[in-house]
Each structure stands twice: as C-alpha cells, then as structure tokens.
Amino acid sequence: MVDGVSFDVWGTIFGDAFFSEIEEHYTEYTGTSRTEIAQSMQRAYEVLREKRKEGAIGKGIDPVAYSLELLEPFGVNIDAFKNAMAAALISIDVEKLLMPGMREAIEELYKDHALVILGNVVYWPGAYTRALISKAGLSKFFRAQLYSDEIGCAKPSREAFSKALSLLGITDPRRAAHVGDNFYEDFCGAIGSNFHAVMLTRDITQTTVIGGNAFVRDASQLPLTIRGL
C-alpha cells in the first residue's frame, strides 16, 4: 500500500512548452534561429545528464550555474538566455505546460495520499518552477517542493529521495512511490531508495506493473495504478 507520492516536474507534470517559450524569446533577443538554440539546449542537457551519472555535480556545486556554463561551448549568449528564461516565466500559458490529465491525476491522488515534488534543476532555479506550479494552481496539493539547487542533492541519489520521504511523513520507503519520466534519475533512483517506481512513458501501449513498479502511458492511469501497488 502506498501512502505518499513524490512527483518529478519536467516531462512529468509539465511538458516542454516552457523550453519552446525560452527559444522564442531568445530568438527575439539575439536573432538566433529557434532550431539552433533548441539544438544547443538539447546538447548541453545531454552533457549535463552524463555529468550527473558520473557524479560530477557534487555538493558545493551550483547546478543552475553549472548547467548554464555547459551552454557556452554551443555558442549561447548566457545573459540573453537568462533574460529569455525570465521573459518566458512571465509569458507562458501554464495550461499549455500541463501534461494531459495531470491536474486531474494530482487532484485524485491528493484525496488519499501525501504528495511532494522532487525535481532536479537545469538552466533555471527551482524558484522558477515553484512559480509555475503556483501559476498552475497546483501548490496547494503538495506538502513540500524539493529542488536540487535548494536541497543540495539531486536524483537519483538516496539523499534526495530520503528528504522527500521525510517530508511525506513516511518512515518506510516501501509505502512511497515516485512518479517521473527519466529512467535513470526517476525510475532507477526510486528503486535504489526502495520506493515504488512509476515511470510515465509513451514507449508502451498499456500500463505494465512489474514487481511493485509500473510503467504508465498517461497521467489518467496514475491514481488507479498507484492505489494498486
């Protein structure tokens, strides 16, 4: 039985519309094509994920500053990029951000589960994501929001999941589940911390539960799946 659930944000609660909004503003500021800045962001993000796997982003390293530095070799003007992120935070339509069915899934799970957010950061600080969660009217459903730049650790580390467990008010991780879209950071991280792992993925045709962990195609299936773990 699961009493509490932690949620990833990007790719889970929110889709990629914020990235598109940043690209649009950056193009306005610099004249760079959207394709070029999108490719630069993706390449730097791939490098960042590899660095996380290597454990290169340890304590004492600001993950936001680190990720921004990774953009520079790809020709990104960092000051203009920061301005574009700030502008996107103001201009984004949060309804376009939300993954289909996610609001309803969160509202349903909130009825009988403690909920927290556990998210890694890239390019922008956790405070931006907090603002967007608030703008979407979702803050009230979560006991706490934990972002890697604020808590000093990141998924898939046990420390990050332990902090989430504590704020869920649960002592036994086997009574907690984590929902995310990244196999290494979310799914493997959850299993490594003895959480039930629930991965949102379009790479399946139907919900699959294996050994107390699940692969789910869309958010509408989350409440029933988690209640069955």
Side-chain angles (χ1 to χ4, degrees):
M1 180 178 177
V2 172
D3 296 321
V5 184
S6 58
F7 278 82
D8 171 53
V9 179
W10 297 102
T12 302
I13 296 175
F14 292 150
D16 60 6
F18 192 59
F19 291 88
S20 298
E21 198 82 1
I22 293 170
E23 293 162 13
E24 182 176 343
H25 287 292
Y26 186 83
T27 297
E28 291 174 359
Y29 295 153
T30 66
T32 304
S33 72
R34 290 192 64 165
T35 299
E36 184 178 342
I37 182 59
Q39 289 177 343
S40 296
M41 290 170 67
Q42 182 59 37
R43 289 170 182 164
Y45 189 36
E46 290 169 359
V47 173
L48 178 66
R49 282 189 162 172
E50 288 303 313
K51 294 295 184 182
R52 283 177 181 159
K53 287 182 180 180
E54 295 168 4
I57 312 174
K59 288 186 178 297
I61 296 178
D62 180 346
V64 176
Y66 188 91
S67 62
L68 288 172
E69 288 175 4
L70 293 176
L71 286 168
E72 290 187 284
F74 298 103
V76 176
N77 181 311
I78 301 304
D79 193 62
F81 190 80
K82 288 179 178 179
N83 290 339
M85 289 191 293
L89 183 64
I90 296 169
S91 65
I92 189 70
D93 178 352
V94 291
E95 291 306 317
K96 293 180 180 178
L97 263 183
L98 280 163
M99 295 291 275
M102 184 55 71
R103 182 189 300 279
E104 294 78 8
I106 290 171
E107 290 176 351
E108 180 63 23
L109 284 166
Y110 175 72
K111 293 177 181 178
D112 50 9
H113 294 79
L115 307 179
V116 301
I117 285 173
L118 178 61
N120 290 346
V121 298
V122 56
Y123 305 139
W124 57 87
Y128 276 36
T129 305
R130 280 182 187 274
L132 292 169
I133 289 289
S134 177
K135 198 173 181 180
L138 297 177
S139 297
K140 62 186 176 184
F141 298 113
F142 296 99
R143 289 189 176 188
Q145 297 180 48
L146 297 86
Y147 299 105
S148 57
D149 62 324
E150 299 175 356
I151 64 174
C153 54
K155 299 174 298 183
S157 74
R158 287 195 174 196
E159 184 179 1
F161 282 94
S162 177
K163 289 178 183 291
L165 189 70
S166 176
L167 289 171
L168 283 170
I170 299 171
T171 55
D172 185 352
R174 292 171 296 181
R175 299 185 75 89
H178 176 73
V179 180
D181 70 307
N182 183 271
F183 183 73
Y184 175 68
E185 295 173 4
D186 294 307
F187 195 80
C188 293
I191 291 174
S193 295
N194 296 317
F195 279 52
H196 294 278
V198 181
M199 184 170 174
L200 280 173
T201 174
R202 291 291 183 181
D203 296 334
I204 56 172
T205 56
Q206 61 183 13
T207 295
T208 303
V209 179
I210 305 172
N213 304 302
F215 294 90
V216 176
R217 182 170 170 78
D218 60 68
S220 65
Q221 300 163 358
L222 286 174
L224 183 62
T225 300
I226 289 172
R227 286 174 179 146
L229 294 176

PDB file of all heavy atoms in Angstrom, residues 78-101:
ATOM      1  N   ILE A  78      24.813  33.742 -22.651  1.00  0.00           N
ATOM      2  CA  ILE A  78      24.214  33.397 -21.359  1.00  0.00           C
ATOM      3  C   ILE A  78      23.342  34.516 -20.803  1.00  0.00           C
ATOM      4  O   ILE A  78      22.260  34.258 -20.255  1.00  0.00           O
ATOM      5  CB  ILE A  78      25.299  33.006 -20.333  1.00  0.00           C
ATOM      6  CG1 ILE A  78      26.108  31.811 -20.863  1.00  0.00           C
ATOM      7  CG2 ILE A  78      24.657  32.651 -18.990  1.00  0.00           C
ATOM      8  CD1 ILE A  78      25.285  30.591 -21.213  1.00  0.00           C
ATOM      9  N   ASP A  79      23.756  35.752 -20.955  1.00  0.00           N
ATOM     10  CA  ASP A  79      22.948  36.859 -20.439  1.00  0.00           C
ATOM     11  C   ASP A  79      21.611  36.928 -21.176  1.00  0.00           C
ATOM     12  O   ASP A  79      20.555  37.091 -20.548  1.00  0.00           O
ATOM     13  CB  ASP A  79      23.699  38.179 -20.579  1.00  0.00           C
ATOM     14  CG  ASP A  79      23.033  39.297 -19.785  1.00  0.00           C
ATOM     15  OD1 ASP A  79      22.953  39.166 -18.541  1.00  0.00           O
ATOM     16  OD2 ASP A  79      22.560  40.273 -20.399  1.00  0.00           O
ATOM     17  N   ALA A  80      21.651  36.795 -22.492  1.00  0.00           N
ATOM     18  CA  ALA A  80      20.419  36.807 -23.280  1.00  0.00           C
ATOM     19  C   ALA A  80      19.550  35.602 -22.926  1.00  0.00           C
ATOM     20  O   ALA A  80      18.313  35.702 -22.887  1.00  0.00           O
ATOM     21  CB  ALA A  80      20.749  36.802 -24.772  1.00  0.00           C
ATOM     22  N   PHE A  81      20.192  34.480 -22.642  1.00  0.00           N
ATOM     23  CA  PHE A  81      19.448  33.272 -22.272  1.00  0.00           C
ATOM     24  C   PHE A  81      18.738  33.470 -20.929  1.00  0.00           C
ATOM     25  O   PHE A  81      17.573  33.062 -20.768  1.00  0.00           O
ATOM     26  CB  PHE A  81      20.398  32.087 -22.209  1.00  0.00           C
ATOM     27  CG  PHE A  81      19.704  30.758 -22.067  1.00  0.00           C
ATOM     28  CD1 PHE A  81      19.137  30.132 -23.168  1.00  0.00           C
ATOM     29  CD2 PHE A  81      19.634  30.121 -20.834  1.00  0.00           C
ATOM     30  CE1 PHE A  81      18.500  28.911 -23.044  1.00  0.00           C
ATOM     31  CE2 PHE A  81      18.993  28.902 -20.704  1.00  0.00           C
ATOM     32  CZ  PHE A  81      18.433  28.286 -21.814  1.00  0.00           C
ATOM     33  N   LYS A  82      19.418  34.102 -19.982  1.00  0.00           N
ATOM     34  CA  LYS A  82      18.790  34.382 -18.688  1.00  0.00           C
ATOM     35  C   LYS A  82      17.595  35.315 -18.863  1.00  0.00           C
ATOM     36  O   LYS A  82      16.540  35.128 -18.234  1.00  0.00           O
ATOM     37  CB  LYS A  82      19.807  35.012 -17.734  1.00  0.00           C
ATOM     38  CG  LYS A  82      20.869  34.054 -17.221  1.00  0.00           C
ATOM     39  CD  LYS A  82      21.845  34.782 -16.302  1.00  0.00           C
ATOM     40  CE  LYS A  82      22.900  33.844 -15.734  1.00  0.00           C
ATOM     41  NZ  LYS A  82      23.861  34.567 -14.867  1.00  0.00           N
ATOM     42  N   ASN A  83      17.745  36.320 -19.717  1.00  0.00           N
ATOM     43  CA  ASN A  83      16.639  37.236 -19.986  1.00  0.00           C
ATOM     44  C   ASN A  83      15.469  36.500 -20.632  1.00  0.00           C
ATOM     45  O   ASN A  83      14.298  36.770 -20.331  1.00  0.00           O
ATOM     46  CB  ASN A  83      17.098  38.379 -20.898  1.00  0.00           C
ATOM     47  CG  ASN A  83      18.050  39.334 -20.202  1.00  0.00           C
ATOM     48  OD1 ASN A  83      18.087  39.405 -18.977  1.00  0.00           O
ATOM     49  ND2 ASN A  83      18.833  40.062 -20.972  1.00  0.00           N
ATOM     50  N   ALA A  84      15.784  35.569 -21.523  1.00  0.00           N
ATOM     51  CA  ALA A  84      14.746  34.799 -22.201  1.00  0.00           C
ATOM     52  C   ALA A  84      13.986  33.916 -21.220  1.00  0.00           C
ATOM     53  O   ALA A  84      12.754  33.778 -21.308  1.00  0.00           O
ATOM     54  CB  ALA A  84      15.370  33.948 -23.312  1.00  0.00           C
ATOM     55  N   MET A  85      14.702  33.328 -20.255  1.00  0.00           N
ATOM     56  CA  MET A  85      14.039  32.498 -19.247  1.00  0.00           C
ATOM     57  C   MET A  85      13.107  33.340 -18.379  1.00  0.00           C
ATOM     58  O   MET A  85      11.983  32.926 -18.080  1.00  0.00           O
ATOM     59  CB  MET A  85      15.078  31.797 -18.372  1.00  0.00           C
ATOM     60  CG  MET A  85      15.847  30.702 -19.079  1.00  0.00           C
ATOM     61  SD  MET A  85      16.829  29.677 -17.954  1.00  0.00           S
ATOM     62  CE  MET A  85      18.064  30.864 -17.378  1.00  0.00           C
ATOM     63  N   ALA A  86      13.569  34.537 -17.986  1.00  0.00           N
ATOM     64  CA  ALA A  86      12.745  35.422 -17.158  1.00  0.00           C
ATOM     65  C   ALA A  86      11.494  35.856 -17.917  1.00  0.00           C
ATOM     66  O   ALA A  86      10.393  35.897 -17.359  1.00  0.00           O
ATOM     67  CB  ALA A  86      13.559  36.639 -16.726  1.00  0.00           C
ATOM     68  N   ALA A  87      11.662  36.157 -19.197  1.00  0.00           N
ATOM     69  CA  ALA A  87      10.525  36.574 -20.013  1.00  0.00           C
ATOM     70  C   ALA A  87       9.535  35.422 -20.195  1.00  0.00           C
ATOM     71  O   ALA A  87       8.317  35.620 -20.154  1.00  0.00           O
ATOM     72  CB  ALA A  87      11.018  37.066 -21.378  1.00  0.00           C
ATOM     73  N   ALA A  88      10.065  34.220 -20.376  1.00  0.00           N
ATOM     74  CA  ALA A  88       9.214  33.045 -20.556  1.00  0.00           C
ATOM     75  C   ALA A  88       8.394  32.755 -19.307  1.00  0.00           C
ATOM     76  O   ALA A  88       7.235  32.327 -19.388  1.00  0.00           O
ATOM     77  CB  ALA A  88      10.066  31.829 -20.918  1.00  0.00           C
ATOM     78  N   LEU A  89       8.989  33.000 -18.150  1.00  0.00           N
ATOM     79  CA  LEU A  89       8.282  32.781 -16.881  1.00  0.00           C
ATOM     80  C   LEU A  89       7.035  33.657 -16.806  1.00  0.00           C
ATOM     81  O   LEU A  89       5.997  33.248 -16.276  1.00  0.00           O
ATOM     82  CB  LEU A  89       9.218  33.102 -15.711  1.00  0.00           C
ATOM     83  CG  LEU A  89       8.682  32.855 -14.303  1.00  0.00           C
ATOM     84  CD1 LEU A  89       8.408  31.374 -14.074  1.00  0.00           C
ATOM     85  CD2 LEU A  89       9.670  33.379 -13.262  1.00  0.00           C
ATOM     86  N   ILE A  90       7.125  34.849 -17.363  1.00  0.00           N
ATOM     87  CA  ILE A  90       6.001  35.787 -17.344  1.00  0.00           C
ATOM     88  C   ILE A  90       4.981  35.465 -18.437  1.00  0.00           C
ATOM     89  O   ILE A  90       3.771  35.512 -18.215  1.00  0.00           O
ATOM     90  CB  ILE A  90       6.515  37.227 -17.508  1.00  0.00           C
ATOM     91  CG1 ILE A  90       7.398  37.614 -16.316  1.00  0.00           C
ATOM     92  CG2 ILE A  90       5.351  38.212 -17.661  1.00  0.00           C
ATOM     93  CD1 ILE A  90       8.156  38.909 -16.499  1.00  0.00           C
ATOM     94  N   SER A  91       5.471  35.118 -19.612  1.00  0.00           N
ATOM     95  CA  SER A  91       4.575  34.999 -20.769  1.00  0.00           C
ATOM     96  C   SER A  91       3.920  33.633 -20.942  1.00  0.00           C
ATOM     97  O   SER A  91       2.905  33.517 -21.624  1.00  0.00           O
ATOM     98  CB  SER A  91       5.347  35.327 -22.049  1.00  0.00           C
ATOM     99  OG  SER A  91       6.375  34.371 -22.300  1.00  0.00           O
ATOM    100  N   ILE A  92       4.456  32.590 -20.328  1.00  0.00           N
ATOM    101  CA  ILE A  92       3.974  31.237 -20.581  1.00  0.00           C
ATOM    102  C   ILE A  92       2.524  31.038 -20.148  1.00  0.00           C
ATOM    103  O   ILE A  92       2.107  31.533 -19.094  1.00  0.00           O
ATOM    104  CB  ILE A  92       4.879  30.195 -19.875  1.00  0.00           C
ATOM    105  CG1 ILE A  92       4.527  28.766 -20.304  1.00  0.00           C
ATOM    106  CG2 ILE A  92       4.769  30.331 -18.352  1.00  0.00           C
ATOM    107  CD1 ILE A  92       4.881  28.437 -21.697  1.00  0.00           C
ATOM    108  N   ASP A  93       1.772  30.352 -20.947  1.00  0.00           N
ATOM    109  CA  ASP A  93       0.415  29.926 -20.614  1.00  0.00           C
ATOM    110  C   ASP A  93       0.541  28.573 -19.923  1.00  0.00           C
ATOM    111  O   ASP A  93       0.865  27.570 -20.568  1.00  0.00           O
ATOM    112  CB  ASP A  93      -0.414  29.810 -21.898  1.00  0.00           C
ATOM    113  CG  ASP A  93      -1.843  29.331 -21.634  1.00  0.00           C
ATOM    114  OD1 ASP A  93      -2.153  28.949 -20.494  1.00  0.00           O
ATOM    115  OD2 ASP A  93      -2.636  29.327 -22.599  1.00  0.00           O
ATOM    116  N   VAL A  94       0.293  28.533 -18.625  1.00  0.00           N
ATOM    117  CA  VAL A  94       0.538  27.289 -17.874  1.00  0.00           C
ATOM    118  C   VAL A  94      -0.371  26.150 -18.317  1.00  0.00           C
ATOM    119  O   VAL A  94      -0.029  24.978 -18.133  1.00  0.00           O
ATOM    120  CB  VAL A  94       0.408  27.503 -16.347  1.00  0.00           C
ATOM    121  CG1 VAL A  94       1.540  28.352 -15.822  1.00  0.00           C
ATOM    122  CG2 VAL A  94      -0.941  28.094 -15.986  1.00  0.00           C
ATOM    123  N   GLU A  95      -1.510  26.466 -18.891  1.00  0.00           N
ATOM    124  CA  GLU A  95      -2.378  25.394 -19.365  1.00  0.00           C
ATOM    125  C   GLU A  95      -1.716  24.632 -20.505  1.00  0.00           C
ATOM    126  O   GLU A  95      -1.960  23.445 -20.703  1.00  0.00           O
ATOM    127  CB  GLU A  95      -3.732  25.947 -19.792  1.00  0.00           C
ATOM    128  CG  GLU A  95      -4.583  26.456 -18.629  1.00  0.00           C
ATOM    129  CD  GLU A  95      -4.776  25.414 -17.528  1.00  0.00           C
ATOM    130  OE1 GLU A  95      -5.026  24.238 -17.862  1.00  0.00           O
ATOM    131  OE2 GLU A  95      -4.669  25.769 -16.341  1.00  0.00           O
ATOM    132  N   LYS A  96      -0.846  25.318 -21.263  1.00  0.00           N
ATOM    133  CA  LYS A  96      -0.093  24.655 -22.321  1.00  0.00           C
ATOM    134  C   LYS A  96       1.062  23.833 -21.745  1.00  0.00           C
ATOM    135  O   LYS A  96       1.552  22.907 -22.389  1.00  0.00           O
ATOM    136  CB  LYS A  96       0.465  25.692 -23.296  1.00  0.00           C
ATOM    137  CG  LYS A  96      -0.598  26.423 -24.109  1.00  0.00           C
ATOM    138  CD  LYS A  96       0.043  27.434 -25.054  1.00  0.00           C
ATOM    139  CE  LYS A  96      -1.014  28.165 -25.862  1.00  0.00           C
ATOM    140  NZ  LYS A  96      -0.418  29.190 -26.761  1.00  0.00           N
ATOM    141  N   LEU A  97       1.463  24.191 -20.535  1.00  0.00           N
ATOM    142  CA  LEU A  97       2.556  23.480 -19.866  1.00  0.00           C
ATOM    143  C   LEU A  97       2.133  22.117 -19.338  1.00  0.00           C
ATOM    144  O   LEU A  97       2.874  21.149 -19.409  1.00  0.00           O
ATOM    145  CB  LEU A  97       3.069  24.309 -18.688  1.00  0.00           C
ATOM    146  CG  LEU A  97       4.289  25.196 -18.846  1.00  0.00           C
ATOM    147  CD1 LEU A  97       4.625  25.831 -17.510  1.00  0.00           C
ATOM    148  CD2 LEU A  97       5.483  24.410 -19.364  1.00  0.00           C
ATOM    149  N   LEU A  98       0.940  22.048 -18.779  1.00  0.00           N
ATOM    150  CA  LEU A  98       0.491  20.843 -18.098  1.00  0.00           C
ATOM    151  C   LEU A  98       0.356  19.653 -19.039  1.00  0.00           C
ATOM    152  O   LEU A  98      -0.187  19.761 -20.131  1.00  0.00           O
ATOM    153  CB  LEU A  98      -0.854  21.100 -17.422  1.00  0.00           C
ATOM    154  CG  LEU A  98      -0.799  21.828 -16.079  1.00  0.00           C
ATOM    155  CD1 LEU A  98      -2.168  22.376 -15.734  1.00  0.00           C
ATOM    156  CD2 LEU A  98      -0.326  20.871 -14.987  1.00  0.00           C
ATOM    157  N   MET A  99       0.876  18.524 -18.592  1.00  0.00           N
ATOM    158  CA  MET A  99       0.705  17.283 -19.348  1.00  0.00           C
ATOM    159  C   MET A  99      -0.759  16.869 -19.297  1.00  0.00           C
ATOM    160  O   MET A  99      -1.445  17.071 -18.274  1.00  0.00           O
ATOM    161  CB  MET A  99       1.585  16.184 -18.755  1.00  0.00           C
ATOM    162  CG  MET A  99       3.081  16.451 -18.870  1.00  0.00           C
ATOM    163  SD  MET A  99       3.688  16.360 -20.556  1.00  0.00           S
ATOM    164  CE  MET A  99       3.990  14.602 -20.710  1.00  0.00           C
ATOM    165  N   PRO A 100      -1.283  16.307 -20.374  1.00  0.00           N
ATOM    166  CA  PRO A 100      -2.706  15.909 -20.416  1.00  0.00           C
ATOM    167  C   PRO A 100      -3.092  15.006 -19.252  1.00  0.00           C
ATOM    168  O   PRO A 100      -2.415  14.023 -18.964  1.00  0.00           O
ATOM    169  CB  PRO A 100      -2.809  15.157 -21.756  1.00  0.00           C
ATOM    170  CG  PRO A 100      -1.715  15.726 -22.597  1.00  0.00           C
ATOM    171  CD  PRO A 100      -0.589  16.001 -21.644  1.00  0.00           C
ATOM    172  N   GLY A 101      -4.162  15.380 -18.572  1.00  0.00           N
ATOM    173  CA  GLY A 101      -4.685  14.569 -17.480  1.00  0.00           C
ATOM    174  C   GLY A 101      -3.948  14.688 -16.169  1.00  0.00           C
ATOM    175  O   GLY A 101      -4.357  14.087 -15.167  1.00  0.00           O
TER     176      GLY A 101
END
